[in-house]
Amino acid sequence: MGTVGINHTRRLLHLISIIGEGQHYDSEVVWIAAHLHDWGGYSKWQQVGVDHALRSRQVAEAFWTERGYPQELLQPILECIEFHHSGDPNRSIEAILLSDADALDFLGVVGVLRDFSKKPAELRKAYEVTQGRKETLPG
């Protein structure tokens, strides 16, 4: 996970505190889901051909269950993780907040620069990736 992942999580939680202001949501579910939502994208758990959101759900479920954490929190956490890039508009407020914050973080300066820094020789491709993210955001 490293500092990149921790800082991403911190930004998400900050964004959620802003966009969720005045909304009734379970902050514990959001906090846990924000910390676990990208684990399936890290090399330790990544699987070729499996979307990182789905893989993150699988990893989080195993992690949660193995440690005997409260089952009543599990399903809302897993919903947030699985649908943090997309999902049914009727999903929970927690899932919507995490998804919106994640999208905003990717479109922010850090997210855009992260894409551009991955392959500096391919700036056009980085621009297209950023534009693609922008175009898939919900209204």
Side-chain angles (χ1 to χ4, degrees):
M1 183 182 223
T3 57
V4 171
I6 292 294
N7 289 331
H8 173 55
T9 298
R10 287 180 181 150
R11 288 189 306 274
L12 291 183
L13 293 171
H14 178 72
L15 287 166
I16 289 167
S17 74
I18 294 168
I19 63 178
E21 189 174 343
Q23 300 289 322
H24 178 70
Y25 65 94
D26 189 327
S27 59
E28 185 176 19
V29 166
V30 169
W31 190 91
I32 294 166
H35 283 85
L36 299 174
H37 80 284
D38 277 339
W39 282 19
Y42 299 126
S43 58
K44 180 176 180 175
W45 297 289
Q46 194 173 39
Q47 289 183 347
V48 176
V50 178
D51 179 74
H52 93 276
L54 181 57
R55 181 65 184 139
S56 294
R57 179 192 167 106
Q58 295 166 347
V59 172
E61 185 169 18
F63 175 84
W64 193 263
T65 304
E66 287 168 6
R67 283 155 185 78
Y69 293 143
Q71 288 299 303
E72 63 271 8
L73 292 176
L74 183 58
Q75 287 311 312
I77 290 167
L78 295 179
E79 177 194 19
C80 290
I81 292 169
E82 183 175 354
F83 299 114
H84 75 270
H85 280 196
S86 64
D88 186 328
N90 297 319
R91 63 202 147 136
S92 69
I93 185 67
E94 293 84 5
I96 291 168
L97 289 170
L98 181 62
S99 176
D100 287 355
D102 195 54
L104 287 170
D105 190 48
F106 270 105
L107 291 177
V109 172
V110 173
V112 172
L113 290 177
R114 179 179 48 228
D115 286 337
F116 277 72
S117 69
K118 286 179 184 174
K119 295 186 179 180
E122 299 178 28
L123 294 180
R124 182 72 181 156
K125 181 162 178 64
Y127 174 78
E128 290 168 2
V129 167
T130 301
Q131 285 299 109
R133 283 198 179 110
K134 180 180 157 193
E135 291 167 8
T136 61
L137 288 176

